């Protein structure tokens, strides 16, 4: 079967595509859309930013994505907009004209990516409510400096997008059932419902499940890995639900971080701030919350925070469903409690109760769009000045995201006091034996983990603890 998508209203059909070939390769190759640049090939620099649109009710919902790690079946049935799509008859659109007049470009290599990110914000794409600085945090520039770029984004902050033609053309383009194909013996599937997904995995239990490809994409572009058979779950409609109740929030496996941002921020502000720092907007507009869990990375930002809040994971297969505490899903490095033919269906995050003290901190070399060196998450229940329950979890400290049992024991039953925090910080040193790598030494990680516990204490005493509030003396 072919992959079909819209490009400027015209259907592009790719017969027998390589399922791990990227959209960027097709744009710059046979389609000759060379305005979209290849920089890092890992979703970090944003030079390859394009907009992908899909039907959402009676409108087209656009999102900025990194074309360099977007596999071709992931745009099946969708619309694509590149920098060449903007303007008319060779003229610049208002945003491009403003960028040019404002001196917002020097070498120009990164400029198309900035334009697409800012254009997406201006037309109301996913994440358009964010400040300009956040919208372009996933775009890197080495020569212009961000001042003129930010000014252009502020100046042209709203544009009218007429999607009537696109909406009509998208109807029926993807089909109503599983799309599939084969390339050099490698099979790929794009199911449309969870029932179809169950059936595909029952027949191909060894298949690689791909949601946003923000991690798996690098296995191909950087690691040159063969993924074998691949199942893309981004079009499974019933896995995209966000359910907010008095008890908590349930997120389906297809819910992207940018889509979950509001619900998680309402659950607790620290969760919202954490999501804001997971990759750039292009990454959050592709990466799913459950995908971040399913791949079992020891430095994934989401799992430690969700573990501390007592999250539960639901897995599904042809045999039925099972639910387990999130921390029990991670068995060892690269090993998770997911059986053959099984997939993560949803995650449920309880709402913190009265008397809860919640604090989530991420430490990384860059503030924006960077991988954690250490991530600490704390959820304490304090009644009458005494800690009656504690859940403490860290990422970057062990082979998996993990709770700190010694630290928790030192907190529970003790007064919520400076002395208790000091004892818990000391106990924390025995909970982990972290590795030394390019993001931090073992000694740094142990010291930093304790410092995050102290940050919780100082914040609860009313001190300013955000690094954004630090000023040079």
């Amino acid at each position: 079967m072919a992959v079909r998508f819209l490009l400027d209203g015209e259907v592009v059909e790719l017969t027998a595509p390589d399922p791990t070939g990227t959209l960027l390769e097709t744009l710059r190759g046979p389609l000759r859309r060379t305005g979209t640049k290849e920089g890092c090939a890992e979703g970090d620099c944003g030079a390859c930013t394009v907009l992908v649109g899909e039907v959402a009710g009676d409108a087209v919902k656009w999102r900025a994505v990194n074309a360099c790690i977007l596999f071709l079946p992931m745009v099946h049935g969708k619309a694509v907009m590149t920098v060449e799509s903007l303007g008319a008859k060779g003229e610049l659109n208002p945003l491009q004209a403003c960028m040019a007049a404002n001196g917002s470009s020097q070498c120009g290599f990164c400029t198309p990516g900035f334009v697409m990110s800012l254009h997406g914000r201006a037309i109301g794409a996913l994440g358009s409510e964010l400040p300009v600085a956040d919208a372009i945090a996933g775009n890197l520039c080495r020569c212009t400096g961000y001042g003129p770029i930010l000014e252009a984004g502020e100046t042209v902050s709203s544009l009218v997008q007429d999607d009537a033609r696109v909406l009509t053309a998208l109807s029926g383009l993807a089909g109503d059932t599983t799309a599939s194909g084969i390339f050099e013996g490698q099979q790929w599937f794009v199911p449309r419902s969870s029932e179809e997904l169950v059936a595909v995995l029952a027949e191909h239990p060894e298949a690689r499940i791909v949601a946003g490809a923000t991690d798996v994409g690098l296995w191909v572009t950087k690691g040159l890995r063969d993924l074998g058979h691949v199942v893309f779950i981004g079009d499974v409609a019933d896995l995209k639900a966000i359910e907010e109740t008095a008890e908590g929030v349930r997120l389906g496996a297809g819910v992207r971080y940018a889509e979950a941002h509001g619900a998680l921020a309402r659950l607790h502000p620290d969760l919202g701030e954490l999501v804001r720092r997971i990759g750039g907007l292009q990454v959050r507009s592709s990466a799913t919350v459950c995908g971040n869990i399913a791949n079992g990375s020891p430095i994934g930002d989401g799992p430690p925070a969700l573990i501390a809040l007592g999250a539960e994971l639901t897995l599904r297969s042809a045999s039925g469903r099972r639910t387990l505490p999130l921390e029990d899903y991670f068995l060892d490095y690269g090993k998770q409690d997911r059986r053959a033919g099984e997939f993560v269906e949803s995650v449920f995050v309880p709402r913190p109760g009265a008397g809860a003290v919640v604090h989530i901190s991420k430490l990384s070399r860059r503030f924006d769009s960077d991988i954690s060196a250490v991530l600490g998450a704390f959820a304490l229940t304090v009644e009458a000045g005494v800690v009656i329950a504690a859940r403490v979890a860290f990422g970057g400290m062990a082979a998996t995201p993990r709770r700190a049992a010694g630290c928790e024991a030192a907190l529970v039953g003790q007064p919520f006091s400076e002395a208790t925090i000091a004892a818990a910080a000391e106990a924390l040193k025995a909970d982990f034996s972290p590795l030394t790598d390019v993001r931090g030494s073992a000694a740094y990680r142990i010291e930093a983990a304790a410092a995050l516990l102290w940050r919780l204490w100082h914040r609860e005493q009313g001190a300013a603890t955000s690094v954004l509030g630090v000023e040079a003396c």
Side-chain angles (χ1 to χ4, degrees):
M1 181 175 178
V3 165
R4 297 187 299 161
F5 63 91
L6 291 180
L7 184 62
D8 299 343
E10 301 295 327
V11 176
V12 174
E13 184 167 315
L14 305 174
T15 304
D18 178 353
T20 54
T22 67
L23 176 61
L24 177 63
E25 292 168 339
T26 294
L27 289 175
R28 290 186 57 81
L31 297 181
R32 303 306 300 157
R33 292 292 181 109
T34 53
T36 305
K37 298 296 188 284
E38 180 173 12
C40 64
E42 60 185 42
D44 192 41
C45 74
C48 67
T49 302
V50 299
L51 299 183
V52 170
E54 52 195 303
V55 177
D58 58 355
V60 177
K61 188 62 177 179
W62 296 94
R63 54 193 174 94
V65 300
N66 293 303
C68 69
I69 51 173
L70 196 71
F71 296 134
L72 288 171
M74 298 170 70
V75 294
H76 178 62
K78 299 178 177 62
V80 174
M81 191 189 308
T82 71
V83 70
E84 291 92 344
S85 305
L86 309 186
K89 297 180 180 180
E91 296 181 358
L92 300 178
N93 84 342
L95 176 59
Q96 292 170 306
C98 184
M99 290 272 290
N102 201 45
S104 302
S105 176
Q106 285 189 27
C107 80
F109 190 88
C110 68
T111 303
F114 276 101
V115 167
M116 295 309 296
S117 291
L118 293 175
H119 183 76
R121 181 178 183 272
I123 65 171
L126 185 60
S128 60
E129 74 283 355
L130 296 173
V132 174
D134 283 4
I136 61 173
N139 295 84
L140 300 182
C141 177
R142 300 299 187 191
C143 51
T144 302
Y146 285 83
I149 301 172
L150 291 167
E151 289 173 9
E154 295 284 5
T155 301
V156 185
S157 60
S158 180
L159 292 170
V160 176
Q161 176 77 16
D162 183 3
D163 286 328
R165 182 184 172 197
V166 173
L167 190 62
T168 300
L170 282 178
S171 301
L173 185 63
D176 297 325
T177 57
T178 298
S180 62
I182 188 167
F183 175 81
E184 297 182 355
Q186 182 183 24
Q187 289 183 273
W188 58 269
F189 306 88
V190 183
R192 306 282 290 176
S193 70
S194 56
E195 288 75 17
E196 293 174 14
L197 174 58
V198 168
V200 168
L201 291 177
E203 187 174 352
H204 302 278
E206 80 293 348
R208 177 72 60 188
I209 301 172
V210 175
T214 53
D215 189 18
V216 174
L218 277 68
W219 299 1
V220 174
T221 61
K222 296 297 186 180
L224 305 181
R225 287 173 58 175
D226 180 353
L227 300 184
H229 302 327
V230 190
V231 182
F232 299 95
I233 67 169
D235 288 335
V236 179
D238 50 334
L239 294 184
K240 296 184 179 183
I242 301 175
E243 302 172 11
E244 294 186 70
T245 66
E247 289 73 35
V249 174
R250 182 175 299 278
L251 303 171
V255 176
R256 304 175 181 105
Y257 265 111
E259 296 163 336
H261 189 182
L264 292 176
R266 287 187 288 274
L267 198 69
H268 194 276
D270 275 20
L271 271 178
E273 179 62 13
L274 174 65
V275 171
R276 187 173 76 86
R277 293 183 58 198
I278 294 177
L281 179 58
Q282 299 94 317
V283 169
R284 299 193 299 276
S285 295
S286 293
T288 64
V289 178
C290 288
N292 195 205
I293 293 168
N295 70 3
S297 170
I299 52 173
D301 285 340
L306 303 186
I307 288 172
L309 291 172
E312 291 184 337
L313 203 62
T314 297
L315 298 106
R316 182 178 173 185
S317 69
S319 301
R321 292 181 174 87
R322 64 187 179 102
T323 299
L324 68 160
L326 179 55
E327 61 260 37
D328 292 348
Y329 174 74
F330 304 102
L331 303 178
D332 202 348
Y333 182 76
K335 185 177 181 182
Q336 299 86 44
D337 184 8
R338 183 162 58 86
R339 301 163 187 168
E342 197 170 46
F343 65 94
V344 173
E345 184 178 48
S346 66
V347 63
F348 175 75
V349 191
R351 197 173 300 280
V357 176
V358 175
H359 183 56
I360 302 167
S361 286
K362 171 178 176 173
L363 297 179
S364 56
R365 289 193 170 192
R366 287 192 316 234
F367 184 82
D368 287 312
S369 194
D370 202 2
I371 297 171
S372 291
V374 178
L375 193 143
F378 311 86
L380 315 182
T381 302
V382 180
E383 293 184 2
V386 175
V387 180
I388 64 168
R391 293 180 65 89
V392 177
F394 282 90
M397 296 289 288
T400 66
R402 209 178 77 192
R403 290 176 67 177
C407 179
E408 293 177 352
L411 289 165
V412 175
Q414 301 301 315
F416 186 51
S417 65
E418 190 169 356
T420 297
I421 296 298
E426 187 64 28
L428 186 60
K429 296 177 182 178
D431 280 325
F432 300 102
S433 298
L435 297 175
T436 294
D437 61 19
V438 294
R439 285 177 288 276
S441 67
Y444 164 77
R445 286 188 158 106
I446 287 292
E447 186 175 346
L452 295 184
L453 181 58
W454 278 110
R455 178 182 283 182
L456 173 150
W457 168 256
H458 287 299
R459 190 173 77 170
E460 289 302 304
Q461 306 315 303
T465 58
S466 171
V467 296
L468 298 180
V470 176
E471 296 183 0
C473 297

